[in-house]
Amino acid sequence: MPIEGCTVKLNVLLRELPNFTARPGIEQPHHYGQINAPLTKEEWKASYAAARSGFLPEQLWCELYFQSVHDATVAPAGLHTMSVFAQYVPYKFASGSWEEHRSDAKALALGSIGRFCSNLPDAVVDAQVLGPPDIEQKVGLTGGHIFQGECLPAYMWGNRLTARTPMKGVYLCGACTHPGGSVIGINGRNAAMAVLRDLDDAR
């Protein structure tokens, strides 16, 4: 299964939440959920092609979460957090390393969000940038792949690992399991149901 990551992760500290031009305001109901900064079909294709060739694309698709709107204690008083998952980026660059391209990746991700906002990147206080090799090293995900394998039909559903392992009492609930990555919550439910079935059988 292909397992080379294509996502860059940003942990961002903000002076204020993004003010989206399509839905103005800072701390609106939409800030309490997941927000996507979209790409056109052509941008998606170009982004993928660039990353596969070892280059940063012109735009990134970004998925945003703001933990501090739910729990103010995760950020200093008056500030906010923003988590960003953005793709496509290369695991390895055609030239240079992630250390050399980190600042460009940061500017690209924030710019890809900022084109839909009136206050970004000006509202950014600081940002940590984790490319696929960083995710691999710091989190332990093979290839830095946040979905633990490609989310394509050939590698999904029954082609993933099962929750129950050959080791008694050991269960898997991550993205590597059926039905696959980014199927939010189902992997954990499958593992929980397997545990409950085994407990019933043991009685």
Side-chain angles (χ1 to χ4, degrees):
M1 175 186 298
I3 198 164
E4 191 171 273
C6 60
T7 303
V8 61
K9 172 74 162 63
L10 277 73
N11 297 310
V12 186
L13 186 64
L14 299 170
R15 294 185 182 87
E16 61 184 8
L17 293 168
N19 190 349
F20 295 97
T21 54
R23 188 169 287 184
I26 51 168
E27 197 155 347
Q28 298 295 313
H30 54 271
H31 289 108
Y32 286 78
Q34 172 190 318
I35 295 175
N36 291 335
L39 296 179
T40 65
K41 191 174 184 179
E42 291 72 24
E43 287 172 334
W44 267 115
K45 289 180 178 179
S47 175
Y48 178 78
R52 290 285 290 180
S53 298
F55 300 96
L56 289 173
E58 292 186 6
Q59 299 292 345
L60 293 171
W61 170 86
C62 300
E63 182 176 285
L64 318 176
Y65 302 90
F66 307 99
Q67 297 87 352
S68 53
V69 299
H70 299 281
D71 180 1
T73 66
V74 301
L79 300 179
H80 281 285
T81 59
M82 177 173 71
S83 290
V84 181
F85 291 94
Q87 61 188 44
Y88 292 101
V89 297
Y91 179 88
K92 293 179 181 177
F93 286 94
S95 176
S97 67
W98 261 96
E99 284 303 321
E100 295 170 85
H101 292 280
R102 195 176 308 279
S103 61
D104 289 337
K106 172 184 170 181
L108 174 60
L110 295 175
S112 296
I113 302 164
R115 65 181 178 153
F116 300 106
C117 305
S118 64
N119 61 343
L120 286 184
D122 294 340
V124 174
V125 176
D126 199 5
Q128 178 190 38
V129 180
L130 301 173
D134 304 309
I135 295 170
E136 183 171 35
Q137 181 182 18
K138 294 176 183 293
V139 184
L141 291 175
T142 302
H145 202 304
I146 64 171
F147 300 127
Q148 296 182 305
E150 288 299 317
C151 294
L152 296 171
Y155 313 112
M156 292 281 280
W157 305 296
N159 295 319
R160 294 272 173 162
L161 298 175
T162 60
R164 191 181 284 106
T165 74
M167 293 182 286
K168 186 176 180 180
V170 177
Y171 301 83
L172 300 176
C173 62
C176 64
T177 62
H178 171 79
S182 202
V183 188
I184 307 301
I186 298 297
N187 312 69
R189 184 184 187 279
N190 289 343
M193 297 306 291
V195 171
L196 291 173
R197 281 193 297 271
D198 288 353
L199 287 173
D200 283 342
D201 292 344
R203 290 190 179 117

